[in-house]
């Protein structure tokens, strides 16, 4: 099976990722801020929940399946773009 290579964007967006921080609760927090063009900007945050055992294995399998599907989709997008460029 060949390797799928997904090209990176020409210019990555300006972003600010903060490390996990201790907020005094049992769960750590993460934050991601992305500054877009003009007035658009996005802020994402969440709590980290550690999972182990059978539940951790199940979630690991689901995440692996989602990543595989995304890589397959991205490879298809690259192939479509290559076909369009060859046709032009």
């Amino acid at each position: 099976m060949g390797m799928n290579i997904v090209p990176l964007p020409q210019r990555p967006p300006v972003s600010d990722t903060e490390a996990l921080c201790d907020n005094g609760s049992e769960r750590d927090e993460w934050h991601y801020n992305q500054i877009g063009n003009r007035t658009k900007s996005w802020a994402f945050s969440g709590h980290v929940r550690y999972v182990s055992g059978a539940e951790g294995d199940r979630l690991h399998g689901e995440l692996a399946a989602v990543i595989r599907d995304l890589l397959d989709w991205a490879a298809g997008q690259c192939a479509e773009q290559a076909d369009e460029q060859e046709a032009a």
Side-chain angles (χ1 to χ4, degrees):
M1 183 160 90
M3 181 189 293
N4 295 328
I5 299 174
V6 179
L8 296 175
Q10 296 294 333
R11 296 180 64 199
V14 176
S15 62
D16 177 26
T17 304
E18 298 177 20
L20 294 178
C21 59
D22 182 11
N23 60 2
S25 72
E26 294 178 6
R27 295 189 288 179
D28 294 328
E29 289 184 357
W30 59 267
H31 301 275
Y32 175 79
N33 299 312
Q34 182 174 347
I35 300 168
N37 297 335
R38 297 183 193 163
T39 61
K40 292 183 179 180
S41 63
W42 298 268
F44 304 94
S45 65
H47 294 275
V48 177
R49 183 180 70 158
Y50 296 97
V51 181
S52 62
E55 179 68 5
D57 291 341
R58 182 187 67 78
L59 290 174
H60 183 266
E62 287 181 12
L63 181 60
V66 168
I67 291 171
R68 182 195 64 234
D69 292 345
L70 285 171
L71 289 172
D72 288 344
W73 173 81
Q77 294 295 310
C78 289
E80 286 178 15
Q81 289 177 355
D83 291 343
E84 289 174 3
Q85 288 176 352
E86 288 178 7

